[in-house]
PDB file of all heavy atoms in Angstrom:
ATOM      1  N   ASN G   1     101.062  97.883 122.255  1.00  0.00           N
ATOM      2  CA  ASN G   1     100.421  98.437 123.493  1.00  0.00           C
ATOM      3  C   ASN G   1      99.176  97.678 123.878  1.00  0.00           C
ATOM      4  O   ASN G   1      98.779  97.665 125.064  1.00  0.00           O
ATOM      5  CB  ASN G   1     100.100  99.905 123.282  1.00  0.00           C
ATOM      6  CG  ASN G   1     101.369 100.765 123.140  1.00  0.00           C
ATOM      7  OD1 ASN G   1     102.420 100.376 123.668  1.00  0.00           O
ATOM      8  ND2 ASN G   1     101.278 101.883 122.456  1.00  0.00           N
ATOM      9  N   GLN G   2      98.522  97.034 122.887  1.00  0.00           N
ATOM     10  CA  GLN G   2      97.316  96.281 123.155  1.00  0.00           C
ATOM     11  C   GLN G   2      97.629  94.813 123.489  1.00  0.00           C
ATOM     12  O   GLN G   2      96.704  94.017 123.711  1.00  0.00           O
ATOM     13  CB  GLN G   2      96.395  96.337 121.957  1.00  0.00           C
ATOM     14  CG  GLN G   2      95.800  97.750 121.708  1.00  0.00           C
ATOM     15  CD  GLN G   2      94.957  97.812 120.448  1.00  0.00           C
ATOM     16  OE1 GLN G   2      94.951  96.873 119.659  1.00  0.00           O
ATOM     17  NE2 GLN G   2      94.287  98.913 120.246  1.00  0.00           N
ATOM     18  N   GLY G   3      98.948  94.487 123.518  1.00  0.00           N
ATOM     19  CA  GLY G   3      99.332  93.112 123.818  1.00  0.00           C
ATOM     20  C   GLY G   3      99.304  92.156 122.649  1.00  0.00           C
ATOM     21  O   GLY G   3      99.515  90.967 122.858  1.00  0.00           O
ATOM     22  N   GLN G   4      99.117  92.647 121.449  1.00  0.00           N
ATOM     23  CA  GLN G   4      99.093  91.774 120.257  1.00  0.00           C
ATOM     24  C   GLN G   4     100.453  91.829 119.570  1.00  0.00           C
ATOM     25  O   GLN G   4     100.595  92.363 118.474  1.00  0.00           O
ATOM     26  CB  GLN G   4      97.945  92.262 119.295  1.00  0.00           C
ATOM     27  CG  GLN G   4      96.608  92.253 119.952  1.00  0.00           C
ATOM     28  CD  GLN G   4      95.481  92.586 118.943  1.00  0.00           C
ATOM     29  OE1 GLN G   4      95.305  91.886 117.955  1.00  0.00           O
ATOM     30  NE2 GLN G   4      94.747  93.674 119.240  1.00  0.00           N
ATOM     31  N   VAL G   5     101.427  91.236 120.266  1.00  0.00           N
ATOM     32  CA  VAL G   5     102.824  91.328 119.796  1.00  0.00           C
ATOM     33  C   VAL G   5     103.043  90.579 118.478  1.00  0.00           C
ATOM     34  O   VAL G   5     103.705  91.082 117.594  1.00  0.00           O
ATOM     35  CB  VAL G   5     103.782  90.771 120.892  1.00  0.00           C
ATOM     36  CG1 VAL G   5     105.205  90.813 120.392  1.00  0.00           C
ATOM     37  CG2 VAL G   5     103.625  91.571 122.182  1.00  0.00           C
ATOM     38  N   GLU G   6     102.423  89.379 118.352  1.00  0.00           N
ATOM     39  CA  GLU G   6     102.602  88.618 117.139  1.00  0.00           C
ATOM     40  C   GLU G   6     102.058  89.358 115.915  1.00  0.00           C
ATOM     41  O   GLU G   6     102.678  89.365 114.840  1.00  0.00           O
ATOM     42  CB  GLU G   6     101.914  87.270 117.275  1.00  0.00           C
ATOM     43  CG  GLU G   6     102.591  86.300 118.229  1.00  0.00           C
ATOM     44  CD  GLU G   6     103.994  85.940 117.726  1.00  0.00           C
ATOM     45  OE1 GLU G   6     104.191  85.833 116.502  1.00  0.00           O
ATOM     46  OE2 GLU G   6     104.911  85.763 118.565  1.00  0.00           O
ATOM     47  N   LEU G   7     100.905  89.983 116.053  1.00  0.00           N
ATOM     48  CA  LEU G   7     100.305  90.722 114.956  1.00  0.00           C
ATOM     49  C   LEU G   7     101.190  91.931 114.613  1.00  0.00           C
ATOM     50  O   LEU G   7     101.358  92.289 113.474  1.00  0.00           O
ATOM     51  CB  LEU G   7      98.901  91.140 115.314  1.00  0.00           C
ATOM     52  CG  LEU G   7      98.059  91.756 114.159  1.00  0.00           C
ATOM     53  CD1 LEU G   7      98.023  90.815 112.977  1.00  0.00           C
ATOM     54  CD2 LEU G   7      96.661  92.074 114.646  1.00  0.00           C
ATOM     55  N   ALA G   8     101.733  92.573 115.654  1.00  0.00           N
ATOM     56  CA  ALA G   8     102.636  93.696 115.427  1.00  0.00           C
ATOM     57  C   ALA G   8     103.876  93.283 114.644  1.00  0.00           C
ATOM     58  O   ALA G   8     104.329  93.992 113.753  1.00  0.00           O
ATOM     59  CB  ALA G   8     103.027  94.353 116.771  1.00  0.00           C
ATOM     60  N   LEU G   9     104.414  92.104 115.006  1.00  0.00           N
ATOM     61  CA  LEU G   9     105.604  91.597 114.291  1.00  0.00           C
ATOM     62  C   LEU G   9     105.242  91.289 112.817  1.00  0.00           C
ATOM     63  O   LEU G   9     106.020  91.528 111.907  1.00  0.00           O
ATOM     64  CB  LEU G   9     106.118  90.341 114.971  1.00  0.00           C
ATOM     65  CG  LEU G   9     106.799  90.531 116.336  1.00  0.00           C
ATOM     66  CD1 LEU G   9     107.120  89.187 116.982  1.00  0.00           C
ATOM     67  CD2 LEU G   9     108.059  91.366 116.142  1.00  0.00           C
ATOM     68  N   ALA G  10     104.028  90.790 112.600  1.00  0.00           N
ATOM     69  CA  ALA G  10     103.577  90.509 111.224  1.00  0.00           C
ATOM     70  C   ALA G  10     103.502  91.770 110.401  1.00  0.00           C
ATOM     71  O   ALA G  10     103.883  91.832 109.236  1.00  0.00           O
ATOM     72  CB  ALA G  10     102.228  89.800 111.207  1.00  0.00           C
ATOM     73  N   VAL G  11     103.026  92.879 111.055  1.00  0.00           N
ATOM     74  CA  VAL G  11     102.968  94.188 110.383  1.00  0.00           C
ATOM     75  C   VAL G  11     104.365  94.639 110.034  1.00  0.00           C
ATOM     76  O   VAL G  11     104.618  95.124 108.904  1.00  0.00           O
ATOM     77  CB  VAL G  11     102.251  95.212 111.252  1.00  0.00           C
ATOM     78  CG1 VAL G  11     102.413  96.602 110.659  1.00  0.00           C
ATOM     79  CG2 VAL G  11     100.778  94.843 111.407  1.00  0.00           C
ATOM     80  N   ARG G  12     105.315  94.514 110.957  1.00  0.00           N
ATOM     81  CA  ARG G  12     106.673  94.968 110.730  1.00  0.00           C
ATOM     82  C   ARG G  12     107.339  94.132 109.616  1.00  0.00           C
ATOM     83  O   ARG G  12     108.126  94.655 108.823  1.00  0.00           O
ATOM     84  CB  ARG G  12     107.494  94.927 112.006  1.00  0.00           C
ATOM     85  CG  ARG G  12     106.960  95.898 113.085  1.00  0.00           C
ATOM     86  CD  ARG G  12     107.934  96.064 114.231  1.00  0.00           C
ATOM     87  NE  ARG G  12     107.340  96.778 115.364  1.00  0.00           N
ATOM     88  CZ  ARG G  12     107.188  98.078 115.423  1.00  0.00           C
ATOM     89  NH1 ARG G  12     107.545  98.847 114.402  1.00  0.00           N
ATOM     90  NH2 ARG G  12     106.627  98.663 116.468  1.00  0.00           N
ATOM     91  N   ARG G  13     107.066  92.827 109.593  1.00  0.00           N
ATOM     92  CA  ARG G  13     107.598  91.979 108.524  1.00  0.00           C
ATOM     93  C   ARG G  13     107.048  92.420 107.159  1.00  0.00           C
ATOM     94  O   ARG G  13     107.757  92.438 106.157  1.00  0.00           O
ATOM     95  CB  ARG G  13     107.302  90.509 108.799  1.00  0.00           C
ATOM     96  CG  ARG G  13     108.138  89.873 109.870  1.00  0.00           C
ATOM     97  CD  ARG G  13     108.027  88.351 109.840  1.00  0.00           C
ATOM     98  NE  ARG G  13     106.669  87.913 110.151  1.00  0.00           N
ATOM     99  CZ  ARG G  13     106.227  87.621 111.365  1.00  0.00           C
ATOM    100  NH1 ARG G  13     107.044  87.758 112.402  1.00  0.00           N
ATOM    101  NH2 ARG G  13     104.993  87.206 111.549  1.00  0.00           N
ATOM    102  N   PHE G  14     105.769  92.737 107.121  1.00  0.00           N
ATOM    103  CA  PHE G  14     105.145  93.211 105.905  1.00  0.00           C
ATOM    104  C   PHE G  14     105.826  94.476 105.410  1.00  0.00           C
ATOM    105  O   PHE G  14     106.174  94.586 104.188  1.00  0.00           O
ATOM    106  CB  PHE G  14     103.651  93.458 106.127  1.00  0.00           C
ATOM    107  CG  PHE G  14     102.975  94.226 105.020  1.00  0.00           C
ATOM    108  CD1 PHE G  14     102.659  93.639 103.826  1.00  0.00           C
ATOM    109  CD2 PHE G  14     102.681  95.583 105.195  1.00  0.00           C
ATOM    110  CE1 PHE G  14     102.087  94.332 102.770  1.00  0.00           C
ATOM    111  CE2 PHE G  14     102.079  96.308 104.174  1.00  0.00           C
ATOM    112  CZ  PHE G  14     101.778  95.688 102.942  1.00  0.00           C
ATOM    113  N   VAL G  15     106.071  95.402 106.307  1.00  0.00           N
ATOM    114  CA  VAL G  15     106.770  96.636 105.917  1.00  0.00           C
ATOM    115  C   VAL G  15     108.171  96.365 105.436  1.00  0.00           C
ATOM    116  O   VAL G  15     108.626  96.933 104.459  1.00  0.00           O
ATOM    117  CB  VAL G  15     106.777  97.633 107.108  1.00  0.00           C
ATOM    118  CG1 VAL G  15     107.616  98.899 106.775  1.00  0.00           C
ATOM    119  CG2 VAL G  15     105.371  98.047 107.472  1.00  0.00           C
ATOM    120  N   GLY G  16     108.865  95.432 106.125  1.00  0.00           N
ATOM    121  CA  GLY G  16     110.213  95.116 105.729  1.00  0.00           C
ATOM    122  C   GLY G  16     110.335  94.435 104.369  1.00  0.00           C
ATOM    123  O   GLY G  16     111.379  94.543 103.717  1.00  0.00           O
ATOM    124  N   ARG G  17     109.240  93.789 103.926  1.00  0.00           N
ATOM    125  CA  ARG G  17     109.284  93.123 102.611  1.00  0.00           C
ATOM    126  C   ARG G  17     108.773  94.025 101.500  1.00  0.00           C
ATOM    127  O   ARG G  17     108.738  93.575 100.344  1.00  0.00           O
ATOM    128  CB  ARG G  17     108.383  91.856 102.690  1.00  0.00           C
ATOM    129  CG  ARG G  17     109.003  90.743 103.514  1.00  0.00           C
ATOM    130  CD  ARG G  17     108.289  89.406 103.229  1.00  0.00           C
ATOM    131  NE  ARG G  17     106.902  89.465 103.600  1.00  0.00           N
ATOM    132  CZ  ARG G  17     106.448  89.059 104.793  1.00  0.00           C
ATOM    133  NH1 ARG G  17     107.249  88.592 105.696  1.00  0.00           N
ATOM    134  NH2 ARG G  17     105.128  89.119 105.061  1.00  0.00           N
ATOM    135  N   MET G  18     108.374  95.233 101.803  1.00  0.00           N
ATOM    136  CA  MET G  18     107.943  96.151 100.741  1.00  0.00           C
ATOM    137  C   MET G  18     109.053  96.395  99.754  1.00  0.00           C
ATOM    138  O   MET G  18     110.179  96.754 100.157  1.00  0.00           O
ATOM    139  CB  MET G  18     107.481  97.479 101.340  1.00  0.00           C
ATOM    140  CG  MET G  18     106.132  97.490 101.970  1.00  0.00           C
ATOM    141  SD  MET G  18     105.673  99.172 102.495  1.00  0.00           S
ATOM    142  CE  MET G  18     104.057  98.889 103.167  1.00  0.00           C
ATOM    143  N   PRO G  19     108.840  96.245  98.472  1.00  0.00           N
ATOM    144  CA  PRO G  19     109.866  96.595  97.488  1.00  0.00           C
ATOM    145  C   PRO G  19     110.128  98.093  97.506  1.00  0.00           C
ATOM    146  O   PRO G  19     109.203  98.856  97.823  1.00  0.00           O
ATOM    147  CB  PRO G  19     109.267  96.136  96.139  1.00  0.00           C
ATOM    148  CG  PRO G  19     107.780  96.182  96.381  1.00  0.00           C
ATOM    149  CD  PRO G  19     107.577  95.797  97.821  1.00  0.00           C
ATOM    150  N   PRO G  20     111.314  98.539  97.176  1.00  0.00           N
ATOM    151  CA  PRO G  20     111.591  99.979  97.160  1.00  0.00           C
ATOM    152  C   PRO G  20     110.699 100.668  96.161  1.00  0.00           C
ATOM    153  O   PRO G  20     110.407 100.121  95.082  1.00  0.00           O
ATOM    154  CB  PRO G  20     113.059 100.050  96.801  1.00  0.00           C
ATOM    155  CG  PRO G  20     113.365  98.749  96.107  1.00  0.00           C
ATOM    156  CD  PRO G  20     112.465  97.730  96.748  1.00  0.00           C
ATOM    157  N   PRO G  21     110.233 101.894  96.442  1.00  0.00           N
ATOM    158  CA  PRO G  21     109.435 102.635  95.471  1.00  0.00           C
ATOM    159  C   PRO G  21     110.283 102.988  94.234  1.00  0.00           C
ATOM    160  O   PRO G  21     111.406 103.474  94.328  1.00  0.00           O
ATOM    161  CB  PRO G  21     109.043 103.892  96.240  1.00  0.00           C
ATOM    162  CG  PRO G  21     110.078 104.059  97.288  1.00  0.00           C
ATOM    163  CD  PRO G  21     110.523 102.676  97.644  1.00  0.00           C
ATOM    164  N   SER G  22     109.730 102.694  93.072  1.00  0.00           N
ATOM    165  CA  SER G  22     110.446 102.912  91.830  1.00  0.00           C
ATOM    166  C   SER G  22     109.626 103.702  90.833  1.00  0.00           C
ATOM    167  O   SER G  22     108.421 103.499  90.712  1.00  0.00           O
ATOM    168  CB  SER G  22     110.827 101.564  91.181  1.00  0.00           C
ATOM    169  OG  SER G  22     111.615 100.756  92.052  1.00  0.00           O
ATOM    170  N   SER G  23     110.288 104.590  90.138  1.00  0.00           N
ATOM    171  CA  SER G  23     109.613 105.279  89.050  1.00  0.00           C
ATOM    172  C   SER G  23     109.491 104.324  87.874  1.00  0.00           C
ATOM    173  O   SER G  23     110.115 103.241  87.867  1.00  0.00           O
ATOM    174  CB  SER G  23     110.404 106.531  88.609  1.00  0.00           C
ATOM    175  OG  SER G  23     111.662 106.130  88.078  1.00  0.00           O
ATOM    176  N   GLU G  24     108.756 104.670  86.873  1.00  0.00           N
ATOM    177  CA  GLU G  24     108.584 103.772  85.704  1.00  0.00           C
ATOM    178  C   GLU G  24     109.930 103.510  85.038  1.00  0.00           C
ATOM    179  O   GLU G  24     110.199 102.376  84.664  1.00  0.00           O
ATOM    180  CB  GLU G  24     107.612 104.356  84.715  1.00  0.00           C
ATOM    181  CG  GLU G  24     107.355 103.494  83.508  1.00  0.00           C
ATOM    182  CD  GLU G  24     106.439 104.093  82.498  1.00  0.00           C
ATOM    183  OE1 GLU G  24     106.858 105.052  81.835  1.00  0.00           O
ATOM    184  OE2 GLU G  24     105.291 103.652  82.385  1.00  0.00           O
ATOM    185  N   LYS G  25     110.742 104.550  84.904  1.00  0.00           N
ATOM    186  CA  LYS G  25     112.040 104.363  84.272  1.00  0.00           C
ATOM    187  C   LYS G  25     112.931 103.452  85.070  1.00  0.00           C
ATOM    188  O   LYS G  25     113.619 102.587  84.492  1.00  0.00           O
ATOM    189  CB  LYS G  25     112.728 105.721  84.048  1.00  0.00           C
ATOM    190  CG  LYS G  25     112.079 106.544  82.909  1.00  0.00           C
ATOM    191  CD  LYS G  25     112.595 107.971  82.876  1.00  0.00           C
ATOM    192  CE  LYS G  25     114.090 108.030  82.621  1.00  0.00           C
ATOM    193  NZ  LYS G  25     114.552 109.430  82.483  1.00  0.00           N
ATOM    194  N   GLU G  26     112.914 103.579  86.382  1.00  0.00           N
ATOM    195  CA  GLU G  26     113.735 102.698  87.234  1.00  0.00           C
ATOM    196  C   GLU G  26     113.250 101.247  87.141  1.00  0.00           C
ATOM    197  O   GLU G  26     114.039 100.319  87.102  1.00  0.00           O
ATOM    198  CB  GLU G  26     113.670 103.180  88.673  1.00  0.00           C
ATOM    199  CG  GLU G  26     114.438 104.479  88.883  1.00  0.00           C
ATOM    200  CD  GLU G  26     114.235 105.030  90.287  1.00  0.00           C
ATOM    201  OE1 GLU G  26     113.197 104.727  90.890  1.00  0.00           O
ATOM    202  OE2 GLU G  26     115.124 105.722  90.804  1.00  0.00           O
ATOM    203  N   TRP G  27     111.927 101.092  87.102  1.00  0.00           N
ATOM    204  CA  TRP G  27     111.339  99.740  86.974  1.00  0.00           C
ATOM    205  C   TRP G  27     111.719  99.121  85.667  1.00  0.00           C
ATOM    206  O   TRP G  27     112.115  97.943  85.612  1.00  0.00           O
ATOM    207  CB  TRP G  27     109.821  99.830  87.122  1.00  0.00           C
ATOM    208  CG  TRP G  27     109.098  98.542  87.029  1.00  0.00           C
ATOM    209  CD1 TRP G  27     108.936  97.613  88.023  1.00  0.00           C
ATOM    210  CD2 TRP G  27     108.471  98.002  85.874  1.00  0.00           C
ATOM    211  NE1 TRP G  27     108.234  96.528  87.565  1.00  0.00           N
ATOM    212  CE2 TRP G  27     107.930  96.735  86.221  1.00  0.00           C
ATOM    213  CE3 TRP G  27     108.251  98.454  84.567  1.00  0.00           C
ATOM    214  CZ2 TRP G  27     107.231  95.921  85.367  1.00  0.00           C
ATOM    215  CZ3 TRP G  27     107.558  97.658  83.698  1.00  0.00           C
ATOM    216  CH2 TRP G  27     107.053  96.408  84.086  1.00  0.00           C
ATOM    217  N   LEU G  28     111.640  99.880  84.573  1.00  0.00           N
ATOM    218  CA  LEU G  28     112.037  99.336  83.264  1.00  0.00           C
ATOM    219  C   LEU G  28     113.535  99.058  83.211  1.00  0.00           C
ATOM    220  O   LEU G  28     113.939  98.044  82.629  1.00  0.00           O
ATOM    221  CB  LEU G  28     111.651 100.360  82.168  1.00  0.00           C
ATOM    222  CG  LEU G  28     110.174 100.444  81.794  1.00  0.00           C
ATOM    223  CD1 LEU G  28     109.920 101.655  80.862  1.00  0.00           C
ATOM    224  CD2 LEU G  28     109.711  99.165  81.153  1.00  0.00           C
ATOM    225  N   ALA G  29     114.331  99.924  83.841  1.00  0.00           N
ATOM    226  CA  ALA G  29     115.769  99.695  83.850  1.00  0.00           C
ATOM    227  C   ALA G  29     116.104  98.365  84.552  1.00  0.00           C
ATOM    228  O   ALA G  29     116.938  97.601  84.065  1.00  0.00           O
ATOM    229  CB  ALA G  29     116.482 100.849  84.558  1.00  0.00           C
ATOM    230  N   GLU G  30     115.461  98.060  85.659  1.00  0.00           N
ATOM    231  CA  GLU G  30     115.697  96.844  86.373  1.00  0.00           C
ATOM    232  C   GLU G  30     115.301  95.638  85.524  1.00  0.00           C
ATOM    233  O   GLU G  30     115.982  94.625  85.498  1.00  0.00           O
ATOM    234  CB  GLU G  30     114.942  96.826  87.690  1.00  0.00           C
ATOM    235  CG  GLU G  30     115.183  95.577  88.525  1.00  0.00           C
ATOM    236  CD  GLU G  30     116.642  95.340  88.851  1.00  0.00           C
ATOM    237  OE1 GLU G  30     117.381  96.330  88.982  1.00  0.00           O
ATOM    238  OE2 GLU G  30     117.036  94.156  88.931  1.00  0.00           O
ATOM    239  N   ARG G  31     114.168  95.754  84.786  1.00  0.00           N
ATOM    240  CA  ARG G  31     113.745  94.651  83.919  1.00  0.00           C
ATOM    241  C   ARG G  31     114.791  94.419  82.801  1.00  0.00           C
ATOM    242  O   ARG G  31     115.089  93.289  82.457  1.00  0.00           O
ATOM    243  CB  ARG G  31     112.387  94.960  83.305  1.00  0.00           C
ATOM    244  CG  ARG G  31     111.245  95.236  84.285  1.00  0.00           C
ATOM    245  CD  ARG G  31     110.735  93.997  84.967  1.00  0.00           C
ATOM    246  NE  ARG G  31     111.492  93.658  86.150  1.00  0.00           N
ATOM    247  CZ  ARG G  31     111.490  94.312  87.286  1.00  0.00           C
ATOM    248  NH1 ARG G  31     110.742  95.408  87.424  1.00  0.00           N
ATOM    249  NH2 ARG G  31     112.185  93.950  88.314  1.00  0.00           N
ATOM    250  N   LEU G  32     115.258  95.514  82.232  1.00  0.00           N
ATOM    251  CA  LEU G  32     116.254  95.401  81.151  1.00  0.00           C
ATOM    252  C   LEU G  32     117.542  94.793  81.663  1.00  0.00           C
ATOM    253  O   LEU G  32     118.150  93.933  80.987  1.00  0.00           O
ATOM    254  CB  LEU G  32     116.504  96.757  80.501  1.00  0.00           C
ATOM    255  CG  LEU G  32     115.366  97.354  79.666  1.00  0.00           C
ATOM    256  CD1 LEU G  32     115.704  98.786  79.268  1.00  0.00           C
ATOM    257  CD2 LEU G  32     115.125  96.520  78.434  1.00  0.00           C
ATOM    258  N   LEU G  33     118.004  95.224  82.833  1.00  0.00           N
ATOM    259  CA  LEU G  33     119.251  94.701  83.400  1.00  0.00           C
ATOM    260  C   LEU G  33     119.092  93.234  83.764  1.00  0.00           C
ATOM    261  O   LEU G  33     120.010  92.432  83.547  1.00  0.00           O
ATOM    262  CB  LEU G  33     119.638  95.538  84.642  1.00  0.00           C
ATOM    263  CG  LEU G  33     120.099  96.954  84.342  1.00  0.00           C
ATOM    264  CD1 LEU G  33     120.304  97.706  85.639  1.00  0.00           C
ATOM    265  CD2 LEU G  33     121.415  96.936  83.523  1.00  0.00           C
ATOM    266  N   GLU G  34     117.935  92.846  84.283  1.00  0.00           N
ATOM    267  CA  GLU G  34     117.691  91.471  84.656  1.00  0.00           C
ATOM    268  C   GLU G  34     117.697  90.577  83.379  1.00  0.00           C
ATOM    269  O   GLU G  34     118.198  89.476  83.374  1.00  0.00           O
ATOM    270  CB  GLU G  34     116.361  91.332  85.393  1.00  0.00           C
ATOM    271  CG  GLU G  34     115.995  89.893  85.731  1.00  0.00           C
ATOM    272  CD  GLU G  34     117.047  89.187  86.575  1.00  0.00           C
ATOM    273  OE1 GLU G  34     117.722  89.865  87.366  1.00  0.00           O
ATOM    274  OE2 GLU G  34     117.224  87.951  86.390  1.00  0.00           O
ATOM    275  N   ARG G  35     117.112  91.104  82.305  1.00  0.00           N
ATOM    276  CA  ARG G  35     117.082  90.356  81.039  1.00  0.00           C
ATOM    277  C   ARG G  35     118.526  90.176  80.523  1.00  0.00           C
ATOM    278  O   ARG G  35     118.877  89.092  80.048  1.00  0.00           O
ATOM    279  CB  ARG G  35     116.226  91.121  80.032  1.00  0.00           C
ATOM    280  CG  ARG G  35     116.034  90.322  78.697  1.00  0.00           C
ATOM    281  CD  ARG G  35     115.166  91.116  77.761  1.00  0.00           C
ATOM    282  NE  ARG G  35     113.875  91.394  78.343  1.00  0.00           N
ATOM    283  CZ  ARG G  35     112.919  92.094  77.764  1.00  0.00           C
ATOM    284  NH1 ARG G  35     113.153  92.643  76.582  1.00  0.00           N
ATOM    285  NH2 ARG G  35     111.757  92.269  78.338  1.00  0.00           N
ATOM    286  N   THR G  36     119.317  91.234  80.657  1.00  0.00           N
ATOM    287  CA  THR G  36     120.714  91.135  80.212  1.00  0.00           C
ATOM    288  C   THR G  36     121.493  90.116  81.049  1.00  0.00           C
ATOM    289  O   THR G  36     122.227  89.322  80.517  1.00  0.00           O
ATOM    290  CB  THR G  36     121.391  92.529  80.298  1.00  0.00           C
ATOM    291  OG1 THR G  36     120.689  93.457  79.470  1.00  0.00           O
ATOM    292  CG2 THR G  36     122.842  92.434  79.866  1.00  0.00           C
ATOM    293  N   ARG G  37     121.268  90.158  82.386  1.00  0.00           N
ATOM    294  CA  ARG G  37     121.961  89.187  83.264  1.00  0.00           C
ATOM    295  C   ARG G  37     121.520  87.772  82.915  1.00  0.00           C
ATOM    296  O   ARG G  37     122.344  86.834  82.947  1.00  0.00           O
ATOM    297  CB  ARG G  37     121.661  89.542  84.713  1.00  0.00           C
ATOM    298  CG  ARG G  37     122.355  90.825  85.247  1.00  0.00           C
ATOM    299  CD  ARG G  37     122.245  90.931  86.744  1.00  0.00           C
ATOM    300  NE  ARG G  37     120.881  91.212  87.128  1.00  0.00           N
ATOM    301  CZ  ARG G  37     120.410  92.397  87.387  1.00  0.00           C
ATOM    302  NH1 ARG G  37     121.195  93.483  87.218  1.00  0.00           N
ATOM    303  NH2 ARG G  37     119.153  92.580  87.802  1.00  0.00           N
ATOM    304  N   SER G  38     120.233  87.586  82.658  1.00  0.00           N
ATOM    305  CA  SER G  38     119.728  86.268  82.336  1.00  0.00           C
ATOM    306  C   SER G  38     120.344  85.731  81.042  1.00  0.00           C
ATOM    307  O   SER G  38     120.750  84.575  80.963  1.00  0.00           O
ATOM    308  CB  SER G  38     118.207  86.322  82.213  1.00  0.00           C
ATOM    309  OG  SER G  38     117.692  85.047  81.830  1.00  0.00           O
ATOM    310  N   ARG G  39     120.455  86.584  80.036  1.00  0.00           N
ATOM    311  CA  ARG G  39     121.062  86.154  78.773  1.00  0.00           C
ATOM    312  C   ARG G  39     122.523  85.853  78.939  1.00  0.00           C
ATOM    313  O   ARG G  39     123.035  84.884  78.333  1.00  0.00           O
ATOM    314  CB  ARG G  39     120.876  87.264  77.719  1.00  0.00           C
ATOM    315  CG  ARG G  39     119.441  87.436  77.241  1.00  0.00           C
ATOM    316  CD  ARG G  39     119.310  88.587  76.309  1.00  0.00           C
ATOM    317  NE  ARG G  39     117.967  88.722  75.779  1.00  0.00           N
ATOM    318  CZ  ARG G  39     117.549  89.735  75.003  1.00  0.00           C
ATOM    319  NH1 ARG G  39     118.417  90.695  74.686  1.00  0.00           N
ATOM    320  NH2 ARG G  39     116.318  89.778  74.557  1.00  0.00           N
ATOM    321  N   THR G  40     123.216  86.601  79.812  1.00  0.00           N
ATOM    322  CA  THR G  40     124.617  86.329  80.070  1.00  0.00           C
ATOM    323  C   THR G  40     124.804  84.990  80.751  1.00  0.00           C
ATOM    324  O   THR G  40     125.702  84.227  80.395  1.00  0.00           O
ATOM    325  CB  THR G  40     125.213  87.471  80.959  1.00  0.00           C
ATOM    326  OG1 THR G  40     125.061  88.724  80.280  1.00  0.00           O
ATOM    327  CG2 THR G  40     126.679  87.212  81.209  1.00  0.00           C
ATOM    328  N   ARG G  41     123.923  84.670  81.707  1.00  0.00           N
ATOM    329  CA  ARG G  41     124.035  83.367  82.405  1.00  0.00           C
ATOM    330  C   ARG G  41     123.775  82.244  81.415  1.00  0.00           C
ATOM    331  O   ARG G  41     124.464  81.228  81.432  1.00  0.00           O
ATOM    332  CB  ARG G  41     122.983  83.312  83.525  1.00  0.00           C
ATOM    333  CG  ARG G  41     123.370  84.148  84.748  1.00  0.00           C
ATOM    334  CD  ARG G  41     122.530  83.742  85.934  1.00  0.00           C
ATOM    335  NE  ARG G  41     121.076  83.982  85.680  1.00  0.00           N
ATOM    336  CZ  ARG G  41     120.449  85.089  85.963  1.00  0.00           C
ATOM    337  NH1 ARG G  41     121.140  86.150  86.532  1.00  0.00           N
ATOM    338  NH2 ARG G  41     119.155  85.219  85.709  1.00  0.00           N
ATOM    339  N   VAL G  42     122.785  82.383  80.568  1.00  0.00           N
ATOM    340  CA  VAL G  42     122.468  81.366  79.566  1.00  0.00           C
ATOM    341  C   VAL G  42     123.649  81.140  78.647  1.00  0.00           C
ATOM    342  O   VAL G  42     124.021  80.002  78.300  1.00  0.00           O
ATOM    343  CB  VAL G  42     121.192  81.719  78.771  1.00  0.00           C
ATOM    344  CG1 VAL G  42     120.993  80.744  77.601  1.00  0.00           C
ATOM    345  CG2 VAL G  42     119.981  81.700  79.652  1.00  0.00           C
TER     346      VAL G  42
END
C-alpha cells in the first residue's frame, strides 16, 4: 500500500522460507532419519 513492492516481496519470500515449526522430538526424529539416510547412501 505504501508502494514498496520489492520490500513486500522480500518479506513474503522470508515467510516462505521459514522452516516448519517442530517440537523437540520431531526435530530429533528428522536428525536421526537424516543420519540413517546418509549412512545408507555411503
Side-chain angles (χ1 to χ4, degrees):
N1 293 333
Q2 294 175 349
Q4 303 186 58
V5 178
E6 288 298 324
L7 189 54
L9 289 174
V11 170
R12 297 193 190 280
R13 284 195 295 269
F14 167 75
V15 173
R17 289 196 297 266
M18 282 185 179
S22 302
S23 66
E24 182 182 72
K25 286 171 63 176
E26 290 173 333
W27 180 80
L28 285 171
E30 182 57 33
R31 302 287 84 71
L32 290 173
L33 291 172
E34 177 57 33
R35 186 178 301 177
T36 300
R37 289 192 290 264
S38 177
R39 288 176 177 174
T40 301
R41 286 195 298 269
V42 171

